[in-house]
Amino acid sequence: MNNMKTTYKKSLQLLFHLTGIACLLLALVSCEKDSSAPASDTIDYSDNRCWFENKQDATGKDVDLFYVVPTCIWDYTDSLGQTRHHMDIFNTEQRALTDPSIQLAKSVLADSCNFFSPYYRQISMDSWLTLDTALIEERFKLAYQDVADAFHYYMEHDNQGKPFILAGHSQGAKAVIELLKREMTPDISRKLIATYAIGYTVTPEELAGYPTLRPAQDSIDTGVLIGFNSVTRPDAVSPLFRDNVVCINPVNWRTDATPATSYQGFTVAQDTTIHTLIVTGIDEEQYFIPSVAALLPKGNLHVQEFNLYNEDLRKNVLQRIRAFRQAQ
């Protein structure tokens, strides 16, 4: 495992060199420190230390954004010698792994929004690499408890009636999809501009069973779920995402196979049989991380999606905010 983590770290350092993007600290290294997880069953989200940058950018605008960060930690050993599978949100080294990814999302999505991002007991990259969905779901229960608690605290104490956007990437996308499934009252739904759940999966059964999962159809519909996964070829889809049925192209905001060329020069078209974006015109070798190939095969662009579509997403947040206001 240590060799795998070292290789992963070196791969990410190479990606930093090639792309100059700090977001790739996703799941960087393990934190084998004296850092056992908090003893309490719940986290007190009235404590501003439980939020990115102590919520310092969380006032002054009339729209909020609630963001859930992706996987940024590995398993680690606590002071009792026990292996931990969840983040210790008060450990400074684990926060240092997590913060660049939050900052990237903030820079892309939150130009016009008060920004709220809770630290939560996310499950480790080791958990995902098992590809064991039952184990992942069991461990994710604690992570989701934290996200739901943070969301309810935000709605009760911080939202103050403002329209808001939900967003998350990877594990964070799973979390906001679950928020849509479990926590949406009519009052909350009326204030929801849109949900950006990037880099995860929605099954046909979920789509049929939860009316709150309403996939976006264009660039300006509101109250919708925006989701996509990106690969250079169909066989690069993550084995955990093969049943996905929600996908929209963020370059042209279409749900069909119409291709679109990005301002960065590559072309994106949806393969509508697998509901996944196929990206051509980039070098997949630059984005391949061998140590996580079981989860993200060569050609999978999961860790790059905020960077590939940063201007498209930035503009679209403004489009959906305007559309929401015009509909009021």
Side-chain angles (χ1 to χ4, degrees):
M1 178 59 73
N2 286 335
N3 289 338
M4 183 181 75
K5 294 169 185 174
T6 300
T7 301
Y8 191 81
K9 182 176 182 180
K10 290 180 179 177
S11 299
L12 286 181
Q13 289 171 339
L14 175 61
L15 285 172
F16 283 137
H17 175 70
L18 293 170
T19 64
I21 299 165
C23 79
L24 291 172
L25 279 165
L26 173 133
L28 182 60
V29 292
S30 69
C31 295
E32 295 180 325
K33 300 292 182 182
D34 182 5
S35 55
S36 51
S40 64
D41 291 334
T42 61
I43 289 174
D44 180 8
Y45 283 102
S46 67
D47 183 347
N48 282 356
R49 294 178 302 160
C50 299
W51 299 82
F52 177 68
E53 295 182 341
N54 298 326
K55 296 196 288 191
Q56 66 184 29
D57 258 353
T59 60
K61 299 170 183 173
D62 59 3
V63 174
D64 292 343
L65 189 141
F66 184 95
Y67 177 72
V68 186
V69 70
T71 309
C72 298
I73 68 156
W74 291 82
D75 285 352
Y76 63 97
T77 304
D78 70 10
S79 59
L80 302 176
Q82 296 179 320
T83 299
R84 297 288 187 176
H85 309 295
H86 296 84
M87 180 182 181
D88 175 356
I89 73 163
F90 296 106
N91 178 273
T92 55
E93 294 192 32
Q94 293 184 31
R95 285 196 183 209
L97 300 178
T98 305
D99 285 353
S101 187
I102 303 177
Q103 185 62 55
L104 175 68
K106 179 181 177 182
S107 71
V108 173
L109 300 175
D111 283 351
S112 301
C113 305
N114 304 312
F115 187 75
F116 298 84
S117 185
Y119 294 107
Y120 67 107
R121 287 171 289 189
Q122 60 174 255
I123 65 173
S124 64
M125 179 59 74
D126 304 79
S127 301
W128 293 102
L129 284 169
T130 67
L131 306 182
D132 183 336
T133 55
L135 180 146
I136 290 168
E137 290 299 329
E138 182 62 30
R139 291 182 180 173
F140 184 73
K141 289 178 182 177
L142 182 62
Y144 181 72
Q145 173 188 308
D146 288 352
V147 172
D149 287 348
F151 178 69
H152 287 299
Y153 183 87
Y154 154 74
M155 290 302 307
E156 183 175 353
H157 298 280
D158 296 309
N159 176 262
Q160 298 179 339
K162 295 186 296 295
F164 71 99
I165 292 168
L166 285 177
H169 181 225
S170 192
Q171 183 173 175
K174 175 176 174 59
V176 296
I177 289 168
E178 293 301 317
L179 288 177
L180 289 181
K181 290 162 59 176
R182 306 186 199 186
E183 318 298 337
M184 290 296 110
T185 66
D187 182 58
I188 292 174
S189 295
R190 280 192 292 271
K191 295 183 288 189
L192 178 59
I193 296 172
T195 299
Y196 291 83
I198 299 167
Y200 203 67
T201 182
V202 175
T203 66
E205 293 76 18
E206 287 177 301
L207 201 60
Y210 295 94
T212 49
L213 301 181
R214 186 161 61 89
Q217 301 298 310
D218 57 37
S219 64
I220 59 172
D221 46 0
T222 59
V224 294
L225 174 64
I226 298 109
F228 51 80
N229 293 284
S230 305
V231 297
T232 60
R233 45 199 165 82
D235 61 354
V237 173
S238 173
L240 295 181
F241 298 166
R242 288 174 181 159
D243 294 331
N244 178 59
V245 292
V246 172
C247 185
I248 191 167
N249 187 333
V251 180
N252 60 11
W253 297 104
R254 296 179 66 103
T255 58
D256 59 18
T258 303
T261 300
S262 167
Y263 67 95
Q264 298 189 60
F266 55 81
T267 299
V268 184
Q270 183 180 172
D271 182 332
T272 57
T273 62
I274 58 173
H275 308 285
T276 301
L277 302 177
I278 308 297
V279 181
T280 55
I282 65 172
D283 181 4
E284 66 179 26
E285 294 288 345
Q286 294 186 9
Y287 308 114
F288 179 49
I289 306 172
S291 56
V292 293
L295 179 66
L296 304 174
K298 181 182 286 189
N300 192 294
L301 303 174
H302 180 80
V303 299
Q304 282 290 332
E305 283 171 321
F306 268 111
N307 305 305
L308 292 174
Y309 311 115
N310 58 76
E311 289 301 321
D312 306 293
L313 291 167
R314 180 176 288 108
K315 293 175 183 177
N316 187 246
V317 168
L318 294 174
Q319 287 178 299
R320 293 190 194 273
I321 290 173
R322 284 196 295 266
F324 182 88
R325 287 171 174 159
Q326 290 171 0
Q328 299 306 297

